[in-house]
Amino acid sequence: QGSNAPKPHSCFQYLAPAFPGFYTLPPTMTRGNQRDKDRAANLKKEAESKKAHSTIKQADSTAEIMRQKQAAAEAKRAADAAAGIAPEKKGPTQAEKKYAKALELASTGRQATAASVAAKRASK
């Protein structure tokens, strides 16, 4: 087979004998190694995107970790219940906290609790 070089247009066949060197094809592409550089950069980008975690994979792994923690906590509760150990209360519930805040606001007539005002002052 012949080379992959493009052939001159048919109109050049009449001009070529009269003007030597008028139409000569370059031996190689004049673009240099830009195509190779682009290909290497694209391969690198694809490799980076494949090894990075997607948000879906990350969410699935986080959900799996939470399921394992919940299963461990339930197993511990079941073991404690079987041994007759009552669960300890660690602090006030969210409902109890809300009730205490509402009671303080109602009794003082303020729009914010003393604790929230103190925290705001400390952050300044």
Side-chain angles (χ1 to χ4, degrees), residues 29-71:
M29 288 181 59
T30 58
R31 200 167 164 215
N33 63 349
Q34 186 65 40
R35 179 174 286 144
D36 294 333
K37 283 183 180 178
D38 289 345
R39 186 175 291 130
N42 193 24
L43 287 173
K44 183 179 177 185
K45 191 189 317 181
E46 285 179 6
E48 288 292 325
S49 68
K50 285 182 182 177
K51 78 177 176 182
H53 293 293
S54 70
T55 54
I56 296 172
K57 286 182 184 176
Q58 186 176 4
D60 288 344
S61 66
T62 304
E64 183 59 34
I65 290 169
M66 292 306 295
R67 281 189 214 102
Q68 290 173 356
K69 285 183 177 181
Q70 287 173 348

